[in-house]
Amino acid sequence: MRNCLLILLCLTGLLASAQNPNTLGRKAYLSGTAEDWATAIEAAHAIPDPATSLITIARFHQGAAYAAMAFKQDEAFDEHLDGMEASIDALWEITETSAAGHGLYSALLGLKIARKPMLGMIHGSRASSYAKEALELDATDPIALYNAAGNLFYTPEQWGGDKAKAIKLLNAALANTSEEGKLDYNYLAVMAMLGEAYMQTGDYPAARLVFEKALSEAPDYSYVEQILLPRLAEKEGR
């Protein structure tokens, strides 16, 4: 009877882990499939705390939008931008002081610019302002740090981009990620961007260390293994 109880408890724990929204988000991030993202987004809707639920939904739409952009799926990309924006708008009705929310809104504006570059004239400065406000609200929030770093990483230097500053923010995001947070896809995304930033600034040894760390955390991280590491090897002359 005792053994049966232990088995039941183990199975219950495994089931809870499999249904955990952040676990599902990480799975979707690594697979990149629309089906996995849809499952993760649905699970995020069930998070009891409204603000946490909306932030997670927005983050998952963000990840799904990046995947759609990579696969040149314009319709899906637009749908996820709409989902991301709707979630952030709903978050503003609960609180206007969410560091993660400000960071995500900065990222949303950046994605709109990526979709239609001419929007950079309208949204560029606003995206930078929201990124700065996110850090003013909480300079230790990994979501805020990641998205503020993304603003600096993707913005051209002549418009305020700064990869050296992005590197500092990304390292801060890693340093402020809890053990539980390391199960979230944001942790992997931070390492990918950090490695890219090191690579683009010519620090190839640091880039390799970060990419290898990412693969040690997620051996099936195909974006790092199949795209970023080969790109780094080419720059290293290997």
Side-chain angles (χ1 to χ4, degrees):
M1 183 68 178
R2 183 181 178 185
N3 288 339
C4 290
L5 180 60
L6 288 173
I7 292 171
L8 180 61
L9 288 172
C10 289
L11 290 174
T12 301
L14 289 171
L15 181 61
S17 176
Q19 294 176 332
N20 182 292
N22 289 334
T23 300
L24 293 171
R26 178 187 171 105
K27 178 185 177 184
Y29 177 73
L30 291 171
S31 73
T33 67
E35 294 78 13
D36 282 346
W37 277 120
T39 299
I41 291 168
E42 182 179 358
H45 279 275
I47 295 174
D49 179 70
T52 302
S53 175
L54 290 167
I55 289 169
T56 306
I57 293 167
R59 292 198 303 111
F60 288 177
H61 276 298
Q62 177 188 24
Y66 280 126
M69 183 165 57
F71 291 114
K72 303 185 186 304
Q73 299 167 341
D74 291 346
E75 184 175 345
F77 180 80
D78 290 339
E79 288 176 358
H80 287 299
L81 286 197
D82 289 343
M84 188 178 179
E85 187 160 24
S87 300
I88 297 171
D89 285 344
L91 177 66
W92 294 150
E93 295 181 8
I94 298 173
T95 174
E96 296 181 354
T97 59
S98 166
H102 279 72
L104 286 163
Y105 196 71
S106 171
L108 171 66
L109 295 174
L111 285 166
K112 288 186 175 184
I113 294 170
R115 182 74 168 93
K116 297 179 180 178
M118 286 298 294
L119 290 177
M121 299 175 64
I122 301 172
H123 295 318
S125 61
R126 293 182 65 219
S128 296
S129 294
Y130 272 94
K132 291 176 183 176
E133 288 173 16
L135 298 180
E136 289 171 0
L137 287 165
D138 188 349
T140 66
D141 185 300
I143 306 300
L145 286 161
Y146 167 66
N147 286 294
N151 178 261
L152 291 167
F153 179 81
Y154 291 114
T155 301
E157 287 187 12
Q158 63 266 36
W159 300 111
D162 190 325
K163 290 184 174 59
K165 288 183 179 179
I167 287 171
K168 291 181 180 179
L169 294 181
L170 292 165
N171 275 311
L174 292 180
N176 284 284
T177 299
S178 65
E179 288 303 312
E180 183 180 357
K182 290 179 181 179
L183 302 177
D184 189 288
Y185 91 84
N186 189 73
Y187 184 60
L188 299 178
V190 167
M191 285 191 280
M193 187 184 291
L194 178 58
E196 284 194 84
Y198 277 133
M199 182 165 58
Q200 292 188 25
T201 55
D203 193 344
Y204 301 149
R208 182 164 289 281
L209 283 174
V210 173
F211 291 151
E212 289 175 352
K213 170 67 174 174
L215 285 176
S216 72
E217 295 285 344
D220 53 345
Y221 200 169
S222 58
Y223 177 57
V224 169
E225 183 180 27
Q226 299 175 18
I227 296 176
L228 295 181
L229 273 174
R231 190 180 298 168
L232 174 61
E234 184 178 349
K235 287 183 175 293
E236 291 172 326
R238 295 192 180 194

